[in-house]
Amino acid sequence: MASLQLRRESEVDQESPKSPEAKLGMKVEDLWGIQEPKLTPTEKLNACFESIPVSSFPLAPQGVEIRSDASLAEAVQILSQNKILSVPVVNVNAPEDATWIDRYIGIVEFAGIAVWILQQSEPPSPRSASVSPSGTDVAVSLNGMTSAAGLGTLGPEDASITSGDFFEALTSSEFYKNTKVRDISGTFRWAPFLALQKSNSFLTMMLLLSKYKMKSVPVVDLGDGKIDNIITQSAVIHMLAECTGFHWFESWGNKKLSEIGLPTMSPKQIIKVQEDEPVLQAFKLMRKNRIGGIPVVESGGRKAVGNISLRDVQFLLTAPEIYRDYRSITAKNFLIAVKKYLEKHDKGSPMLSGTITCKRDETIKELIKTLDSQEIHRMYVVDDDGNLEGVITLRDIISRLVHEPRGYFGDFFDGVLPLPQNSRV
């Protein structure tokens, strides 16, 4: 038995790339082999991941931070130029010897900016909490501009047709150029800034990225008070893609999607937008239902013709001129304009691959490899006729790999991270 084990590990060593993720997979493999036989595969994985500190996770490219006095326009440019979805915000008023809690005020992300813009374009509610004078000025400025651009007042239930020059007017406005990141830190979808220490476990990190719906988890160095690493859902999926061939992964990864309860929704539960609806309706539906992406379906049908995610708001903010010739920015026109733009500027973008789908009888390993290679955050499940049957997100996959032991976090999350029933971001 030992010789067979050694031969199998040798084959893995020869066939797998010597990536940091693959080496991490070998650590899990070693721990997997010494777990109690009576444990279930999920219990074994939980025990393995609990034994590995997050300091072992490969480091993400570092160095990108945003000052709290940066403008909203500058934040969008930094995110877009570095091809990242979120970035830590440094408090410029913090002293040099500040702890990490005082040094950072949060994480700004494209998704949050999209939601914030939608919030500012809606009339204030009589019941809403008081806002700062600068926030009031911003809302008044944008509401006036929406009328001038032919958009009208954007209500949560009714998205009017968006004129092609709307976002050019938006990104050239003084409020967009002058609003500071710190001014909106309490008004939009500000990512929870819950950081881990290097000694915290993989299991803790994976639970935060799945059950507790965090898109990314910062890892801090308590010594210098700075972020040492940021682990994202995408990074975990990439790690899993590099672990094919290991017994612990294959025993789970070769299961069909339907065997592990994916997708978790029925066709009637899918939130979608038709191709002739305004693109802002897509963003509004994402905000209302607290989801990160939405399929675009053919008019009157169930076949997906594209996908729009909250991060795609960057194309409305960084290249608004590409919509100038459209009388209205419908979901279909948005997809067409973005595709033409990317063909000239970023031929490697996942958006050029079209709508990527799968079926229920595919394996979780096949799904992970596709998500990783295509650099996408969700996969649409279709039937034999191409009709939508469900959606599978990165969070869904991670949540099927680990489970939270009873009392693991105690009452730490009570009132800290709300868990909306329909949240799938």
Side-chain angles (χ1 to χ4, degrees):
M1 179 65 71
S3 62
L4 289 176
Q5 177 72 8
L6 289 173
R7 185 176 66 181
R8 187 199 55 71
E9 290 182 357
S10 175
E11 290 172 351
V12 170
D13 284 345
Q14 293 175 5
E15 295 173 4
S16 300
K18 289 293 185 180
S19 67
E21 292 81 9
K23 293 178 181 178
L24 188 54
M26 181 59 76
K27 285 187 179 180
V28 180
E29 187 82 342
D30 292 340
L31 291 167
W32 174 272
I34 61 174
Q35 299 303 315
E36 291 288 339
K38 63 181 180 180
L39 296 179
T40 66
T42 300
E43 290 172 335
K44 284 186 178 182
L45 281 177
N46 257 36
C48 292
F49 290 133
E50 178 64 14
S51 301
I52 301 176
V54 292
S55 58
S56 300
F57 200 91
L59 294 177
Q62 296 295 299
V64 181
E65 294 181 338
I66 289 181
R67 291 167 54 94
S68 60
D69 60 355
S71 70
L72 190 58
E74 290 171 332
V76 169
Q77 286 296 331
I78 290 173
L79 289 167
S80 179
Q81 290 171 1
N82 289 279
K83 296 183 178 181
I84 52 180
L85 302 182
S86 60
V87 64
V89 180
V90 178
N91 183 2
V92 295
N93 296 319
E96 290 187 8
D97 60 349
T99 64
W100 70 269
I101 295 178
D102 295 322
R103 175 178 169 79
Y104 299 98
I105 65 173
I107 294 178
V108 65
E109 53 182 12
F110 269 131
I113 293 172
V115 171
W116 178 78
I117 288 175
L118 292 178
Q119 285 179 334
Q120 300 309 313
S121 66
E122 294 174 359
S125 168
R127 302 182 199 171
S128 61
S130 60
V131 296
S132 65
S134 60
T136 303
D137 293 341
V138 168
V140 170
S141 173
L142 182 52
N143 277 319
M145 187 176 61
T146 57
S147 297
L151 181 60
T153 300
L154 287 174
E157 304 297 335
D158 179 32
S160 303
I161 294 296
T162 313
S163 60
D165 60 353
F166 170 73
F167 283 95
E168 270 198 296
L170 169 67
T171 54
S172 62
S173 66
E174 288 303 311
F175 100 89
Y176 181 74
K177 294 177 182 178
N178 296 331
T179 300
K180 306 300 183 184
V181 171
R182 64 187 174 210
D183 295 334
I184 60 176
S185 62
T187 62
F188 73 155
R189 184 179 171 274
W190 194 257
F193 197 70
L194 177 62
L196 294 179
Q197 298 180 32
K198 290 183 175 182
S199 59
N200 288 128
S201 73
F202 255 56
L203 179 60
T204 300
M205 174 265 291
M206 296 178 86
L207 288 172
L208 292 177
L209 292 174
S210 55
K211 179 177 179 180
Y212 292 95
K213 301 174 174 64
M214 293 179 65
K215 301 289 283 186
S216 60
V217 179
V219 180
V220 297
D221 186 324
L222 296 182
D224 60 14
K226 296 182 179 180
I227 293 177
D228 183 69
N229 196 10
I230 296 180
I231 304 175
T232 64
Q233 293 175 344
S234 296
V236 172
I237 294 300
H238 177 62
M239 181 203 78
L240 294 175
E242 291 286 295
C243 291
T244 56
F246 293 119
H247 179 67
W248 69 267
F249 178 82
E250 296 295 331
S251 65
W252 174 74
N254 282 322
K255 293 181 179 179
K256 293 183 179 181
L257 300 178
S258 55
E259 291 183 75
I260 60 173
L262 294 178
T264 60
M265 63 173 61
S266 67
K268 292 183 179 179
Q269 294 175 306
I270 302 175
I271 308 299
K272 53 187 177 293
V273 64
Q274 295 195 15
E275 60 185 357
D276 56 357
E277 291 187 89
V279 68
L280 282 192
Q281 178 70 352
F283 289 116
K284 281 181 169 295
L285 287 172
M286 284 184 260
R287 175 194 167 196
K288 179 181 178 181
N289 294 280
R290 302 187 182 188
I291 54 179
I294 191 170
V296 180
V297 298
E298 59 185 13
S299 298
R302 287 174 48 207
K303 289 184 172 63
V305 298
N307 172 77
I308 297 177
S309 67
L310 278 175
R311 63 176 175 171
D312 294 335
V313 75
Q314 63 180 296
F315 297 112
L316 295 174
L317 301 176
T318 61
E321 70 279 358
I322 67 178
Y323 309 101
R324 186 182 300 148
D325 296 333
Y326 291 101
R327 292 186 60 186
S328 63
I329 309 178
T330 62
K332 180 179 180 179
N333 288 342
F334 174 82
L335 293 172
I336 292 173
V338 169
K339 183 176 181 181
K340 289 180 179 178
Y341 175 80
L342 291 174
E343 286 173 345
K344 292 181 179 180
H345 298 87
D346 187 6
K347 294 185 182 295
S349 172
M351 289 192 73
L352 292 176
S353 301
T355 307
I356 301 175
T357 62
C358 67
K359 295 185 177 180
R360 291 177 183 270
D361 60 356
E362 292 187 25
T363 65
I364 189 70
K365 178 169 72 172
E366 292 171 330
L367 181 65
I368 287 173
K369 294 177 73 172
T370 301
L371 288 167
D372 180 55
S373 63
Q374 297 295 324
E375 298 181 351
I376 54 179
H377 290 189
R378 60 189 48 78
M379 184 85 79
Y380 295 114
V381 183
V382 299
D383 60 20
D384 292 335
D385 296 322
N387 295 315
L388 283 174
E389 286 198 327
V391 182
I392 300 176
T393 66
L394 304 186
R395 184 180 71 82
D396 291 332
I397 295 173
I398 300 172
S399 69
R400 289 300 186 273
L401 185 63
V402 295
H403 73 276
E404 180 180 354
R406 183 181 296 274
Y408 188 77
F409 287 109
D411 60 357
F412 179 79
F413 285 110
D414 291 350
V416 177
L417 288 178
L419 299 179
Q421 190 171 23
N422 296 325
S423 178
R424 296 179 58 78
V425 175

